[in-house]
Amino acid sequence: LDRAPPVQPLESPMLTRVEEFRVRFMNASGGWVDIWPIPGSNEELPKGVEITLTLKERGAYTRRFLVHG
């Protein structure tokens, strides 16, 4: 964003009580990996992305997203 020079950014927590935040990526063969890009691979984009968020006293929430390339 373009900001005027005297403006200072403001930090504000969006979510509290987070125990874990995990991201995994689906490769071309349908397997899940923790790192993208895969070392030695020529795949530009993963086929999908999975995000798991674990909150204290609430448990884990997992969402998967299909990536179109």
Side-chain angles (χ1 to χ4, degrees):
L1 297 173
D2 294 331
R3 294 188 184 135
V7 175
Q8 295 296 319
L10 174 66
E11 288 187 23
S12 178
M14 295 177 63
L15 188 61
T16 60
R17 306 182 65 78
V18 175
E19 288 185 337
E20 181 182 27
F21 179 83
R22 181 177 176 179
V23 180
R24 296 191 313 163
F25 307 92
M26 183 185 285
N27 61 22
S29 62
W32 291 99
V33 295
D34 294 327
I35 299 172
W36 198 269
I38 301 169
S41 173
N42 60 356
E43 295 180 63
E44 291 185 23
L45 293 173
K47 292 178 78 174
V49 177
E50 177 187 83
I51 297 173
T52 300
L53 182 65
T54 305
L55 303 176
K56 292 180 183 174
E57 301 168 4
R58 298 278 184 177
Y61 298 86
T62 300
R63 297 294 181 265
R64 290 182 177 167
F65 303 91
L66 179 64
V67 176
H68 294 280

Short mmCIF file of all heavy atoms in Angstrom, two decimals:
data_model
loop_
_atom_site.label_atom_id
_atom_site.label_comp_id
_atom_site.label_asym_id
_atom_site.label_seq_id
_atom_site.Cartn_x
_atom_site.Cartn_y
_atom_site.Cartn_z
N LEU A 1 0.83 -1.18 0.00
CA LEU A 1 0.00 0.00 0.00
C LEU A 1 0.88 1.24 0.00
O LEU A 1 1.92 1.28 0.64
CB LEU A 1 -0.90 0.02 1.23
CG LEU A 1 -1.91 -1.12 1.36
CD1 LEU A 1 -2.61 -1.05 2.71
CD2 LEU A 1 -2.92 -1.08 0.25
N ASP A 2 0.41 2.25 -0.69
CA ASP A 2 1.11 3.54 -0.67
C ASP A 2 0.66 4.30 0.57
O ASP A 2 -0.53 4.54 0.78
CB ASP A 2 0.80 4.34 -1.93
CG ASP A 2 1.36 3.69 -3.18
OD1 ASP A 2 2.39 3.00 -3.06
OD2 ASP A 2 0.77 3.86 -4.24
N ARG A 3 1.62 4.68 1.37
CA ARG A 3 1.32 5.43 2.59
C ARG A 3 2.10 6.72 2.59
O ARG A 3 3.19 6.81 2.05
CB ARG A 3 1.71 4.63 3.83
CG ARG A 3 0.92 3.40 4.05
CD ARG A 3 1.26 2.81 5.40
NE ARG A 3 0.55 1.56 5.58
CZ ARG A 3 1.08 0.46 6.05
NH1 ARG A 3 2.34 0.43 6.40
NH2 ARG A 3 0.36 -0.64 6.16
N ALA A 4 1.55 7.70 3.26
CA ALA A 4 2.29 8.95 3.45
C ALA A 4 3.46 8.66 4.38
O ALA A 4 3.35 7.81 5.28
CB ALA A 4 1.37 10.00 4.05
N PRO A 5 4.59 9.30 4.19
CA PRO A 5 5.78 9.00 5.00
C PRO A 5 5.59 9.02 6.51
O PRO A 5 6.14 8.17 7.20
CB PRO A 5 6.78 10.06 4.55
CG PRO A 5 6.34 10.43 3.18
CD PRO A 5 4.84 10.29 3.17
N PRO A 6 4.80 9.93 7.11
CA PRO A 6 4.73 9.94 8.58
C PRO A 6 3.82 8.85 9.19
O PRO A 6 3.76 8.69 10.39
CB PRO A 6 4.19 11.32 8.91
CG PRO A 6 3.44 11.75 7.70
CD PRO A 6 4.15 11.09 6.54
N VAL A 7 3.12 8.07 8.36
CA VAL A 7 2.20 7.06 8.88
C VAL A 7 2.97 5.83 9.35
O VAL A 7 3.80 5.30 8.63
CB VAL A 7 1.17 6.66 7.79
CG1 VAL A 7 0.29 5.53 8.30
CG2 VAL A 7 0.34 7.85 7.37
N GLN A 8 2.68 5.38 10.57
CA GLN A 8 3.33 4.20 11.13
C GLN A 8 2.34 3.03 11.08
O GLN A 8 1.15 3.20 11.37
CB GLN A 8 3.74 4.43 12.58
CG GLN A 8 4.80 5.49 12.74
CD GLN A 8 6.11 5.08 12.08
OE1 GLN A 8 6.53 3.93 12.19
NE2 GLN A 8 6.76 6.00 11.42
N PRO A 9 2.81 1.83 10.70
CA PRO A 9 1.91 0.67 10.69
C PRO A 9 1.46 0.32 12.10
O PRO A 9 2.19 0.54 13.07
CB PRO A 9 2.75 -0.44 10.08
CG PRO A 9 4.15 0.00 10.24
CD PRO A 9 4.15 1.49 10.29
N LEU A 10 0.26 -0.22 12.22
CA LEU A 10 -0.29 -0.62 13.50
C LEU A 10 -0.48 -2.13 13.51
O LEU A 10 -1.11 -2.69 12.60
CB LEU A 10 -1.65 0.07 13.71
CG LEU A 10 -2.43 -0.34 14.95
CD1 LEU A 10 -1.70 0.08 16.22
CD2 LEU A 10 -3.82 0.30 14.90
N GLU A 11 0.07 -2.80 14.51
CA GLU A 11 -0.10 -4.24 14.65
C GLU A 11 -1.31 -4.51 15.52
O GLU A 11 -1.49 -3.88 16.56
CB GLU A 11 1.14 -4.87 15.29
CG GLU A 11 2.33 -4.92 14.38
CD GLU A 11 3.47 -5.70 14.99
OE1 GLU A 11 3.24 -6.54 15.89
OE2 GLU A 11 4.61 -5.46 14.57
N SER A 12 -2.12 -5.47 15.07
CA SER A 12 -3.31 -5.84 15.83
C SER A 12 -3.54 -7.34 15.66
O SER A 12 -3.68 -7.82 14.53
CB SER A 12 -4.51 -5.06 15.31
OG SER A 12 -5.67 -5.44 16.01
N PRO A 13 -3.58 -8.11 16.76
CA PRO A 13 -3.79 -9.55 16.62
C PRO A 13 -5.16 -9.86 16.03
O PRO A 13 -6.16 -9.26 16.41
CB PRO A 13 -3.68 -10.09 18.04
CG PRO A 13 -3.75 -8.92 18.94
CD PRO A 13 -3.46 -7.70 18.14
N MET A 14 -5.20 -10.78 15.07
CA MET A 14 -6.45 -11.17 14.43
C MET A 14 -7.08 -12.37 15.14
O MET A 14 -8.28 -12.57 15.09
CB MET A 14 -6.21 -11.50 12.97
CG MET A 14 -5.77 -10.31 12.15
SD MET A 14 -5.40 -10.71 10.45
CE MET A 14 -6.96 -11.27 9.85
N LEU A 15 -6.23 -13.20 15.77
CA LEU A 15 -6.70 -14.41 16.40
C LEU A 15 -5.79 -14.72 17.58
O LEU A 15 -4.57 -14.64 17.47
CB LEU A 15 -6.66 -15.56 15.38
CG LEU A 15 -7.28 -16.87 15.77
CD1 LEU A 15 -8.77 -16.70 16.05
CD2 LEU A 15 -7.10 -17.88 14.64
N THR A 16 -6.39 -15.07 18.70
CA THR A 16 -5.60 -15.39 19.90
C THR A 16 -5.74 -16.86 20.24
O THR A 16 -6.58 -17.56 19.67
CB THR A 16 -6.08 -14.54 21.09
OG1 THR A 16 -7.45 -14.82 21.34
CG2 THR A 16 -5.88 -13.06 20.82
N ARG A 17 -4.90 -17.33 21.14
CA ARG A 17 -4.94 -18.70 21.67
C ARG A 17 -4.65 -19.75 20.61
O ARG A 17 -5.20 -20.84 20.62
CB ARG A 17 -6.24 -18.96 22.39
CG ARG A 17 -6.51 -17.92 23.49
CD ARG A 17 -7.75 -18.15 24.27
NE ARG A 17 -7.74 -19.35 25.06
CZ ARG A 17 -7.12 -19.53 26.23
NH1 ARG A 17 -6.42 -18.55 26.74
NH2 ARG A 17 -7.19 -20.67 26.86
N VAL A 18 -3.77 -19.41 19.67
CA VAL A 18 -3.37 -20.34 18.61
C VAL A 18 -2.25 -21.24 19.14
O VAL A 18 -1.23 -20.76 19.61
CB VAL A 18 -2.89 -19.59 17.34
CG1 VAL A 18 -2.37 -20.56 16.31
CG2 VAL A 18 -4.02 -18.73 16.79
N GLU A 19 -2.48 -22.56 19.07
CA GLU A 19 -1.45 -23.51 19.49
C GLU A 19 -0.58 -23.95 18.31
O GLU A 19 0.61 -24.16 18.47
CB GLU A 19 -2.09 -24.75 20.11
CG GLU A 19 -2.68 -24.51 21.48
CD GLU A 19 -3.21 -25.78 22.11
OE1 GLU A 19 -3.53 -26.74 21.39
OE2 GLU A 19 -3.30 -25.80 23.34
N GLU A 20 -1.19 -24.11 17.14
CA GLU A 20 -0.44 -24.59 15.97
C GLU A 20 -1.08 -24.05 14.70
O GLU A 20 -2.29 -23.96 14.60
CB GLU A 20 -0.42 -26.11 15.93
CG GLU A 20 0.37 -26.66 14.75
CD GLU A 20 0.35 -28.19 14.70
OE1 GLU A 20 -0.61 -28.81 15.20
OE2 GLU A 20 1.30 -28.76 14.17
N PHE A 21 -0.22 -23.73 13.74
CA PHE A 21 -0.64 -23.34 12.40
C PHE A 21 0.20 -24.16 11.44
O PHE A 21 1.42 -24.08 11.46
CB PHE A 21 -0.41 -21.84 12.15
CG PHE A 21 -0.81 -21.40 10.78
CD1 PHE A 21 -2.12 -21.09 10.49
CD2 PHE A 21 0.13 -21.30 9.77
CE1 PHE A 21 -2.50 -20.69 9.23
CE2 PHE A 21 -0.23 -20.89 8.49
CZ PHE A 21 -1.56 -20.59 8.23
N ARG A 22 -0.45 -25.00 10.63
CA ARG A 22 0.29 -25.90 9.74
C ARG A 22 -0.22 -25.78 8.32
O ARG A 22 -1.43 -25.69 8.09
CB ARG A 22 0.12 -27.34 10.22
CG ARG A 22 0.87 -28.34 9.37
CD ARG A 22 0.74 -29.73 9.91
NE ARG A 22 1.42 -30.64 9.00
CZ ARG A 22 1.51 -31.93 9.19
NH1 ARG A 22 0.99 -32.48 10.25
NH2 ARG A 22 2.12 -32.68 8.31
N VAL A 23 0.70 -25.77 7.37
CA VAL A 23 0.36 -25.72 5.95
C VAL A 23 1.02 -26.90 5.26
O VAL A 23 2.19 -27.20 5.49
CB VAL A 23 0.85 -24.40 5.30
CG1 VAL A 23 0.50 -24.36 3.83
CG2 VAL A 23 0.26 -23.20 6.03
N ARG A 24 0.25 -27.63 4.42
CA ARG A 24 0.78 -28.71 3.59
C ARG A 24 0.35 -28.48 2.15
O ARG A 24 -0.64 -27.79 1.90
CB ARG A 24 0.25 -30.08 4.05
CG ARG A 24 0.68 -30.46 5.43
CD ARG A 24 0.40 -31.89 5.80
NE ARG A 24 -0.95 -32.35 5.45
CZ ARG A 24 -1.30 -33.63 5.38
NH1 ARG A 24 -0.42 -34.58 5.63
NH2 ARG A 24 -2.53 -33.98 5.08
N PHE A 25 1.10 -29.08 1.24
CA PHE A 25 0.87 -28.88 -0.18
C PHE A 25 0.70 -30.22 -0.88
O PHE A 25 1.42 -31.16 -0.58
CB PHE A 25 2.06 -28.13 -0.80
CG PHE A 25 2.38 -26.86 -0.07
CD1 PHE A 25 3.32 -26.85 0.96
CD2 PHE A 25 1.73 -25.69 -0.38
CE1 PHE A 25 3.62 -25.70 1.64
CE2 PHE A 25 2.02 -24.52 0.30
CZ PHE A 25 2.96 -24.52 1.32
N MET A 26 -0.24 -30.29 -1.84
CA MET A 26 -0.46 -31.52 -2.59
C MET A 26 0.37 -31.49 -3.86
O MET A 26 0.25 -30.56 -4.67
CB MET A 26 -1.93 -31.71 -2.95
CG MET A 26 -2.19 -33.02 -3.68
SD MET A 26 -3.89 -33.20 -4.23
CE MET A 26 -4.69 -33.55 -2.68
N ASN A 27 1.20 -32.55 -4.06
CA ASN A 27 2.02 -32.62 -5.26
C ASN A 27 1.23 -33.24 -6.42
O ASN A 27 0.06 -33.61 -6.26
CB ASN A 27 3.33 -33.36 -4.99
CG ASN A 27 3.11 -34.79 -4.55
OD1 ASN A 27 2.07 -35.40 -4.79
ND2 ASN A 27 4.10 -35.34 -3.88
N ALA A 28 1.85 -33.37 -7.56
CA ALA A 28 1.18 -33.86 -8.77
C ALA A 28 0.65 -35.29 -8.63
O ALA A 28 -0.33 -35.66 -9.27
CB ALA A 28 2.12 -33.77 -9.97
N SER A 29 1.28 -36.10 -7.77
CA SER A 29 0.83 -37.49 -7.60
C SER A 29 -0.21 -37.63 -6.50
O SER A 29 -0.63 -38.74 -6.18
CB SER A 29 2.03 -38.40 -7.33
OG SER A 29 2.66 -38.02 -6.13
N GLY A 30 -0.63 -36.51 -5.89
CA GLY A 30 -1.67 -36.55 -4.86
C GLY A 30 -1.17 -36.72 -3.44
O GLY A 30 -1.97 -36.83 -2.52
N GLY A 31 0.14 -36.72 -3.26
CA GLY A 31 0.71 -36.83 -1.91
C GLY A 31 0.86 -35.46 -1.27
O GLY A 31 0.97 -34.44 -1.95
N TRP A 32 0.88 -35.45 0.07
CA TRP A 32 1.03 -34.20 0.81
C TRP A 32 2.47 -34.02 1.25
O TRP A 32 3.10 -34.96 1.73
CB TRP A 32 0.11 -34.20 2.02
CG TRP A 32 -1.33 -34.11 1.65
CD1 TRP A 32 -2.20 -35.15 1.57
CD2 TRP A 32 -2.05 -32.95 1.28
NE1 TRP A 32 -3.44 -34.71 1.18
CE2 TRP A 32 -3.39 -33.35 0.99
CE3 TRP A 32 -1.73 -31.61 1.15
CZ2 TRP A 32 -4.37 -32.45 0.59
CZ3 TRP A 32 -2.73 -30.72 0.75
CH2 TRP A 32 -4.02 -31.14 0.49
N VAL A 33 2.99 -32.80 1.08
CA VAL A 33 4.35 -32.45 1.49
C VAL A 33 4.30 -31.17 2.32
O VAL A 33 3.38 -30.37 2.19
CB VAL A 33 5.30 -32.26 0.27
CG1 VAL A 33 5.47 -33.57 -0.48
CG2 VAL A 33 4.81 -31.17 -0.65
N ASP A 34 5.30 -30.99 3.19
CA ASP A 34 5.33 -29.83 4.08
C ASP A 34 6.08 -28.63 3.50
O ASP A 34 5.98 -27.53 4.05
CB ASP A 34 5.98 -30.21 5.41
CG ASP A 34 5.14 -31.21 6.20
OD1 ASP A 34 3.89 -31.15 6.10
OD2 ASP A 34 5.71 -32.05 6.90
N ILE A 35 6.81 -28.83 2.42
CA ILE A 35 7.64 -27.76 1.84
C ILE A 35 7.28 -27.58 0.37
O ILE A 35 7.13 -28.56 -0.36
CB ILE A 35 9.14 -28.10 1.96
CG1 ILE A 35 9.53 -28.24 3.43
CG2 ILE A 35 10.00 -27.07 1.27
CD1 ILE A 35 10.94 -28.77 3.64
N TRP A 36 7.15 -26.33 -0.06
CA TRP A 36 6.93 -26.04 -1.48
C TRP A 36 7.78 -24.85 -1.86
O TRP A 36 7.81 -23.89 -1.11
CB TRP A 36 5.46 -25.73 -1.76
CG TRP A 36 5.18 -25.87 -3.22
CD1 TRP A 36 5.27 -24.89 -4.17
CD2 TRP A 36 4.82 -27.07 -3.90
NE1 TRP A 36 4.98 -25.41 -5.39
CE2 TRP A 36 4.70 -26.75 -5.25
CE3 TRP A 36 4.60 -28.38 -3.50
CZ2 TRP A 36 4.36 -27.69 -6.21
CZ3 TRP A 36 4.25 -29.31 -4.44
CH2 TRP A 36 4.13 -28.96 -5.78
N PRO A 37 8.45 -24.86 -2.98
CA PRO A 37 8.49 -25.93 -3.96
C PRO A 37 9.30 -27.12 -3.44
O PRO A 37 10.17 -26.99 -2.60
CB PRO A 37 9.16 -25.30 -5.17
CG PRO A 37 9.98 -24.18 -4.63
CD PRO A 37 9.26 -23.71 -3.40
N ILE A 38 8.98 -28.28 -3.99
CA ILE A 38 9.68 -29.51 -3.61
C ILE A 38 11.09 -29.44 -4.19
O ILE A 38 11.25 -29.20 -5.39
CB ILE A 38 8.94 -30.75 -4.15
CG1 ILE A 38 7.52 -30.80 -3.60
CG2 ILE A 38 9.70 -32.01 -3.82
CD1 ILE A 38 6.64 -31.83 -4.28
N PRO A 39 12.11 -29.62 -3.36
CA PRO A 39 13.49 -29.57 -3.88
C PRO A 39 13.68 -30.58 -5.01
O PRO A 39 13.29 -31.74 -4.92
CB PRO A 39 14.34 -29.95 -2.66
CG PRO A 39 13.50 -29.58 -1.48
CD PRO A 39 12.08 -29.84 -1.91
N GLY A 40 14.25 -30.12 -6.13
CA GLY A 40 14.51 -30.98 -7.27
C GLY A 40 13.32 -31.20 -8.18
O GLY A 40 13.42 -31.92 -9.17
N SER A 41 12.18 -30.60 -7.88
CA SER A 41 10.98 -30.77 -8.69
C SER A 41 10.81 -29.57 -9.62
O SER A 41 11.23 -28.47 -9.31
CB SER A 41 9.75 -30.89 -7.80
OG SER A 41 8.57 -30.89 -8.57
N ASN A 42 10.15 -29.81 -10.76
CA ASN A 42 9.88 -28.71 -11.67
C ASN A 42 8.41 -28.26 -11.61
O ASN A 42 7.95 -27.51 -12.46
CB ASN A 42 10.27 -29.09 -13.12
CG ASN A 42 9.48 -30.28 -13.61
OD1 ASN A 42 8.70 -30.88 -12.88
ND2 ASN A 42 9.69 -30.64 -14.87
N GLU A 43 7.67 -28.73 -10.61
CA GLU A 43 6.28 -28.32 -10.43
C GLU A 43 6.24 -26.86 -9.99
O GLU A 43 6.86 -26.48 -9.01
CB GLU A 43 5.59 -29.18 -9.37
CG GLU A 43 5.45 -30.63 -9.73
CD GLU A 43 4.75 -31.41 -8.63
OE1 GLU A 43 3.58 -31.10 -8.34
OE2 GLU A 43 5.38 -32.31 -8.07
N GLU A 44 5.49 -26.04 -10.73
CA GLU A 44 5.40 -24.63 -10.39
C GLU A 44 4.43 -24.37 -9.25
O GLU A 44 4.72 -23.59 -8.35
CB GLU A 44 5.00 -23.81 -11.61
CG GLU A 44 6.08 -23.76 -12.67
CD GLU A 44 5.71 -22.85 -13.82
OE1 GLU A 44 4.88 -21.95 -13.62
OE2 GLU A 44 6.25 -23.06 -14.91
N LEU A 45 3.25 -25.01 -9.32
CA LEU A 45 2.23 -24.82 -8.29
C LEU A 45 1.79 -26.17 -7.73
O LEU A 45 1.76 -27.16 -8.45
CB LEU A 45 1.00 -24.12 -8.88
CG LEU A 45 1.16 -22.69 -9.33
CD1 LEU A 45 -0.11 -22.22 -10.04
CD2 LEU A 45 1.45 -21.78 -8.14
N PRO A 46 1.41 -26.20 -6.46
CA PRO A 46 0.85 -27.44 -5.93
C PRO A 46 -0.57 -27.64 -6.48
O PRO A 46 -1.20 -26.69 -6.94
CB PRO A 46 0.81 -27.19 -4.41
CG PRO A 46 0.72 -25.71 -4.28
CD PRO A 46 1.47 -25.15 -5.45
N LYS A 47 -1.08 -28.87 -6.42
CA LYS A 47 -2.45 -29.14 -6.84
C LYS A 47 -3.45 -28.65 -5.79
O LYS A 47 -4.59 -28.35 -6.10
CB LYS A 47 -2.65 -30.63 -7.08
CG LYS A 47 -1.88 -31.15 -8.28
CD LYS A 47 -2.09 -32.64 -8.44
CE LYS A 47 -3.46 -32.87 -9.07
NZ LYS A 47 -3.70 -34.30 -9.39
N GLY A 48 -3.00 -28.57 -4.54
CA GLY A 48 -3.87 -28.12 -3.46
C GLY A 48 -3.06 -27.66 -2.27
O GLY A 48 -1.87 -27.92 -2.18
N VAL A 49 -3.73 -26.95 -1.37
CA VAL A 49 -3.11 -26.46 -0.14
C VAL A 49 -4.03 -26.83 1.02
O VAL A 49 -5.25 -26.64 0.92
CB VAL A 49 -2.90 -24.93 -0.18
CG1 VAL A 49 -2.32 -24.43 1.13
CG2 VAL A 49 -2.00 -24.54 -1.34
N GLU A 50 -3.46 -27.35 2.08
CA GLU A 50 -4.22 -27.69 3.29
C GLU A 50 -3.70 -26.83 4.43
O GLU A 50 -2.49 -26.76 4.68
CB GLU A 50 -4.04 -29.16 3.62
CG GLU A 50 -4.73 -29.57 4.90
CD GLU A 50 -4.41 -30.99 5.30
OE1 GLU A 50 -3.35 -31.19 5.93
OE2 GLU A 50 -5.21 -31.88 4.95
N ILE A 51 -4.61 -26.19 5.15
CA ILE A 51 -4.25 -25.37 6.30
C ILE A 51 -4.95 -25.95 7.53
O ILE A 51 -6.17 -26.17 7.51
CB ILE A 51 -4.67 -23.91 6.09
CG1 ILE A 51 -3.91 -23.32 4.91
CG2 ILE A 51 -4.42 -23.09 7.36
CD1 ILE A 51 -4.36 -21.94 4.51
N THR A 52 -4.18 -26.21 8.58
CA THR A 52 -4.74 -26.67 9.84
C THR A 52 -4.38 -25.67 10.93
O THR A 52 -3.22 -25.31 11.11
CB THR A 52 -4.19 -28.07 10.22
OG1 THR A 52 -4.54 -28.99 9.19
CG2 THR A 52 -4.78 -28.55 11.54
N LEU A 53 -5.39 -25.22 11.62
CA LEU A 53 -5.25 -24.25 12.70
C LEU A 53 -5.76 -24.90 13.97
O LEU A 53 -6.92 -25.35 14.02
CB LEU A 53 -6.06 -23.00 12.37
CG LEU A 53 -6.02 -21.85 13.33
CD1 LEU A 53 -4.62 -21.26 13.39
CD2 LEU A 53 -7.02 -20.79 12.93
N THR A 54 -4.92 -25.00 15.00
CA THR A 54 -5.32 -25.58 16.27
C THR A 54 -5.40 -24.48 17.31
O THR A 54 -4.42 -23.76 17.54
CB THR A 54 -4.31 -26.67 16.72
OG1 THR A 54 -4.19 -27.63 15.68
CG2 THR A 54 -4.78 -27.35 17.99
N LEU A 55 -6.58 -24.36 17.92
CA LEU A 55 -6.81 -23.33 18.93
C LEU A 55 -6.94 -23.97 20.31
O LEU A 55 -7.53 -25.04 20.45
CB LEU A 55 -8.10 -22.56 18.62
CG LEU A 55 -8.17 -21.89 17.26
CD1 LEU A 55 -9.55 -21.25 17.08
CD2 LEU A 55 -7.08 -20.84 17.12
N LYS A 56 -6.40 -23.30 21.32
CA LYS A 56 -6.53 -23.77 22.69
C LYS A 56 -8.01 -23.86 23.04
O LYS A 56 -8.79 -22.95 22.76
CB LYS A 56 -5.83 -22.82 23.66
CG LYS A 56 -4.33 -22.82 23.51
CD LYS A 56 -3.69 -21.87 24.49
CE LYS A 56 -2.19 -21.84 24.25
NZ LYS A 56 -1.54 -20.83 25.07
N GLU A 57 -8.39 -24.96 23.64
CA GLU A 57 -9.74 -25.22 24.13
C GLU A 57 -10.80 -25.29 23.03
O GLU A 57 -11.98 -25.37 23.30
CB GLU A 57 -10.15 -24.16 25.17
CG GLU A 57 -9.21 -24.12 26.37
CD GLU A 57 -9.42 -22.90 27.23
OE1 GLU A 57 -10.34 -22.11 26.97
OE2 GLU A 57 -8.63 -22.72 28.17
N ARG A 58 -10.40 -25.27 21.76
CA ARG A 58 -11.35 -25.35 20.65
C ARG A 58 -11.05 -26.49 19.70
O ARG A 58 -11.90 -26.89 18.91
CB ARG A 58 -11.36 -24.04 19.85
CG ARG A 58 -11.79 -22.84 20.61
CD ARG A 58 -13.28 -22.80 20.65
NE ARG A 58 -13.70 -21.57 21.31
CZ ARG A 58 -14.93 -21.23 21.45
NH1 ARG A 58 -15.89 -21.98 20.97
NH2 ARG A 58 -15.24 -20.12 22.07
N GLY A 59 -9.80 -26.98 19.68
CA GLY A 59 -9.43 -28.06 18.79
C GLY A 59 -8.89 -27.58 17.46
O GLY A 59 -8.56 -26.41 17.29
N ALA A 60 -8.83 -28.52 16.52
CA ALA A 60 -8.21 -28.24 15.22
C ALA A 60 -9.27 -28.02 14.15
O ALA A 60 -10.32 -28.66 14.13
CB ALA A 60 -7.32 -29.41 14.81
N TYR A 61 -8.97 -27.09 13.26
CA TYR A 61 -9.80 -26.79 12.10
C TYR A 61 -8.93 -26.97 10.86
O TYR A 61 -7.85 -26.37 10.77
CB TYR A 61 -10.32 -25.35 12.15
CG TYR A 61 -11.20 -25.08 13.34
CD1 TYR A 61 -10.64 -24.71 14.57
CD2 TYR A 61 -12.57 -25.20 13.24
CE1 TYR A 61 -11.45 -24.47 15.67
CE2 TYR A 61 -13.39 -24.94 14.35
CZ TYR A 61 -12.81 -24.58 15.55
OH TYR A 61 -13.62 -24.33 16.64
N THR A 62 -9.40 -27.76 9.91
CA THR A 62 -8.62 -28.01 8.69
C THR A 62 -9.45 -27.61 7.49
O THR A 62 -10.64 -27.93 7.39
CB THR A 62 -8.25 -29.50 8.58
OG1 THR A 62 -7.46 -29.86 9.73
CG2 THR A 62 -7.43 -29.77 7.32
N ARG A 63 -8.81 -26.91 6.56
CA ARG A 63 -9.43 -26.52 5.30
C ARG A 63 -8.49 -26.85 4.17
O ARG A 63 -7.28 -26.68 4.27
CB ARG A 63 -9.75 -25.02 5.26
CG ARG A 63 -10.74 -24.57 6.32
CD ARG A 63 -12.11 -25.18 6.06
NE ARG A 63 -13.09 -24.78 7.03
CZ ARG A 63 -13.42 -25.46 8.12
NH1 ARG A 63 -12.82 -26.61 8.37
NH2 ARG A 63 -14.35 -25.03 8.94
N ARG A 64 -9.07 -27.35 3.05
CA ARG A 64 -8.28 -27.67 1.87
C ARG A 64 -8.76 -26.81 0.71
O ARG A 64 -9.96 -26.58 0.55
CB ARG A 64 -8.43 -29.14 1.51
CG ARG A 64 -7.74 -30.04 2.52
CD ARG A 64 -7.85 -31.48 2.12
NE ARG A 64 -7.12 -32.31 3.08
CZ ARG A 64 -7.22 -33.59 3.16
NH1 ARG A 64 -8.00 -34.26 2.32
NH2 ARG A 64 -6.52 -34.27 4.06
N PHE A 65 -7.79 -26.35 -0.08
CA PHE A 65 -8.08 -25.48 -1.20
C PHE A 65 -7.47 -26.07 -2.47
O PHE A 65 -6.31 -26.45 -2.48
CB PHE A 65 -7.49 -24.08 -0.96
CG PHE A 65 -7.99 -23.44 0.31
CD1 PHE A 65 -7.30 -23.61 1.51
CD2 PHE A 65 -9.16 -22.71 0.30
CE1 PHE A 65 -7.76 -23.03 2.68
CE2 PHE A 65 -9.63 -22.12 1.46
CZ PHE A 65 -8.94 -22.29 2.65
N LEU A 66 -8.24 -26.12 -3.52
CA LEU A 66 -7.77 -26.56 -4.82
C LEU A 66 -7.06 -25.40 -5.50
O LEU A 66 -7.56 -24.27 -5.48
CB LEU A 66 -8.96 -27.01 -5.68
CG LEU A 66 -8.65 -27.49 -7.08
CD1 LEU A 66 -7.80 -28.74 -7.04
CD2 LEU A 66 -9.96 -27.76 -7.82
N VAL A 67 -5.89 -25.66 -6.08
CA VAL A 67 -5.12 -24.62 -6.77
C VAL A 67 -5.24 -24.86 -8.27
O VAL A 67 -4.95 -25.95 -8.75
CB VAL A 67 -3.64 -24.64 -6.33
CG1 VAL A 67 -2.84 -23.62 -7.12
CG2 VAL A 67 -3.52 -24.38 -4.84
N HIS A 68 -5.67 -23.86 -8.99
CA HIS A 68 -5.75 -23.94 -10.45
C HIS A 68 -4.51 -23.27 -11.02
O HIS A 68 -4.18 -22.16 -10.66
CB HIS A 68 -7.00 -23.23 -10.99
CG HIS A 68 -8.26 -23.90 -10.59
ND1 HIS A 68 -8.73 -25.02 -11.24
CD2 HIS A 68 -9.15 -23.65 -9.61
CE1 HIS A 68 -9.86 -25.40 -10.68
NE2 HIS A 68 -10.14 -24.58 -9.68
N GLY A 69 -3.83 -23.96 -11.93
CA GLY A 69 -2.60 -23.40 -12.48
C GLY A 69 -2.66 -23.12 -13.93
O GLY A 69 -3.48 -23.41 -14.69
#
